[in-house]
């Protein structure tokens, strides 16, 4: 194994250990001090709280790194199939460690945070990342996929508000809900034409056929699989956002009428 491959393996292991440490030690300690409501949660809620806290930290770290690569890594942007994958491999190795850590937690705490869709999501991503880390192929597309992480903090924050007892019609909850729907759409749905147009632009080229059949299958299959789930999640988020906004609009006239009678 060459030195860089050893480094990538080390980063993945360190990432795994770090996210386990954040889940078991840092999140419970910090959350109990930052949010007093954390101490009132049930055991299952605390498990999910810690899981979502770690998820948010991972999303911010990897998402920012992803943006840097997207804007400043010329090698990857010029050759999306075989461009120098150094920075992408580092970012993907961090995510790989997180995904394995999260899968372990999902299986271990299945009654609290078990979700078959997350298992499918994680396995599909790991399957695709195997080719990125092992053969250095498709760095642009692997990095582009990580843009989706920017929607994670808002999704998690919605859950935090819910377990802390915030009303769905409260201003913080509504603001986060609208932001969540907008960001989710922007980084997971609106970017689909860009992603698939770039995929079509390299289809049939010499660089495309240098990718192994397994690599092409992983790339196309995981992309379609993840985007089907993204569309399903977007539909649920949009419906929820619409219901909350509609209910808040209905409550305004009622509150105004009550104010007049008073």
């Amino acid at each position: 194994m060459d030195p860089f491959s050893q480094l990538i393996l080390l980063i993945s292991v360190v990432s795994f250990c770090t996210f386990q440490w954040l889940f078991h030690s840092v999140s419970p300690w910090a959350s109990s001090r930052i949010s007093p409501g954390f101490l009132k949660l049930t055991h299952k809620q605390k498990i999910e709280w810690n899981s979502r806290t770690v998820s948010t930290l991972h999303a911010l770290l990897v998402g920012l790194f992803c943006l840097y690569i997207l804007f400043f890594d010329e090698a990857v942007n010029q050759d999306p199939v075989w461009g120098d994958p150094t920075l992408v491999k580092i970012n993907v190795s961090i995510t790989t460690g997180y995904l394995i850590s999260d899968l372990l937690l999902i299986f271990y705490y299945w009654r609290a945070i078990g979700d078959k869709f997350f298992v499918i999501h994680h396995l599909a991503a790991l399957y695709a990342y195997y080719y990125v880390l092992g053969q250095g192929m498709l760095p642009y597309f692997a990095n582009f996929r990580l843009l989706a992480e920017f929607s994670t903090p808002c999704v998690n924050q919605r859950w935090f508000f819910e377990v802390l007892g915030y009303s769905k019609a409260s201003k913080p909850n509504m603001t986060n809900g609208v932001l969540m729907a907008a960001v989710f759409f922007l980084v997971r749905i609106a970017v689909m034409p860009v992603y698939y147009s770039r995929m079509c632009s390299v289809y049939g080229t010499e660089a495309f056929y240098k990718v192994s059949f397994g690599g092409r299958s992983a790339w196309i299959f995981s992309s379609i699989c993840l985007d089907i789930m993204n569309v399903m999640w977007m539909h649920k988020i949009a419906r929820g956002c619409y219901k909350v906004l509609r209910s808040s609009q209905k409550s305004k006239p009622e509150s105004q009428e009550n104010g007049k009678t008073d």
Side-chain angles (χ1 to χ4, degrees):
M1 185 181 292
D2 63 271
F4 185 68
S5 296
Q6 292 178 1
L7 175 62
I8 293 302
L9 179 60
L10 177 61
I11 292 174
S12 298
V13 172
V14 171
S15 172
F16 172 87
C17 295
T18 299
F19 286 117
Q20 284 286 316
W21 173 62
L22 290 171
F23 174 87
H24 291 289
S25 301
V26 178
S27 177
W29 179 84
S31 298
S32 62
R33 286 160 176 77
I34 296 173
S35 177
F38 174 79
L39 298 174
K40 301 177 183 178
L41 300 179
T42 65
H43 178 64
K44 288 184 177 181
Q45 287 175 328
K46 287 180 180 179
I47 291 172
E48 186 163 357
W49 178 293
N50 294 330
S51 175
R52 289 180 180 271
T53 300
V54 173
S55 171
T56 295
L57 293 173
H58 163 262
L60 293 174
L61 172 63
V62 170
L64 291 173
F65 199 0
C66 168
L67 276 184
Y68 174 82
I69 295 171
L70 196 61
F71 287 118
F72 300 108
D73 195 329
E74 295 182 4
V76 168
N77 289 305
Q78 289 177 0
D79 184 355
V81 181
W82 292 105
D84 181 13
T86 301
L87 293 180
V88 175
K89 278 190 172 185
I90 293 173
N91 206 19
V92 169
S93 65
I94 294 172
T95 295
T96 297
Y98 165 74
L99 291 176
I100 296 174
S101 171
D102 199 46
L103 270 177
L104 180 65
L105 294 172
I106 287 173
F107 289 131
Y108 190 79
Y109 297 108
W110 185 262
R111 291 186 178 181
I113 57 175
D115 189 319
K116 61 182 180 181
F117 286 109
F118 278 109
V119 173
I120 295 171
H121 172 275
H122 287 11
L123 291 177
L126 287 170
Y127 176 54
Y129 290 156
Y130 164 77
Y131 289 94
V132 179
L133 296 177
Q135 301 179 32
M137 60 177 66
L138 306 166
Y140 173 86
F141 298 100
N143 185 68
F144 198 95
R145 276 292 168 191
L146 291 175
L147 277 176
E149 292 300 329
F150 277 113
S151 65
T152 301
C154 288
V155 174
N156 288 336
Q157 189 59 48
R158 177 179 177 274
W159 184 88
F160 291 143
F161 282 144
E162 182 180 339
V163 296
L164 289 175
Y166 280 73
S167 166
K168 288 185 177 181
S170 65
K171 195 170 183 179
N173 216 337
M174 290 183 62
T175 301
N176 180 74
V178 173
L179 184 61
M180 175 181 68
V183 174
F184 196 99
F185 176 79
L186 183 64
V187 301
R188 292 182 184 245
I189 307 300
V191 296
M192 283 185 188
V194 178
Y195 181 86
Y196 286 104
S197 64
R198 198 68 190 272
M199 179 187 287
C200 291
S201 71
V202 301
Y203 182 83
T205 63
E206 182 180 354
F208 175 82
Y209 286 112
K210 284 183 178 179
V211 178
S212 65
F213 176 78
R216 295 198 299 268
S217 300
W219 172 28
I220 297 171
F221 170 76
S222 64
S223 295
I224 295 173
C225 180
L226 292 173
D227 282 331
I228 288 174
M229 286 190 286
N230 284 333
V231 171
M232 291 170 59
W233 285 329
M234 182 72 249
H235 181 254
K236 291 177 66 177
I237 290 172
R239 285 185 62 185
C241 186
Y242 174 74
K243 287 181 179 178
V244 171
L245 289 176
R246 190 175 180 182
S247 64
S248 67
Q249 288 177 350
K250 287 183 178 180
S251 64
K252 283 182 180 179
E254 294 177 1
S255 61
Q256 290 175 354
E257 289 179 3
N258 292 334
K260 289 178 181 178
T261 55
D262 292 341

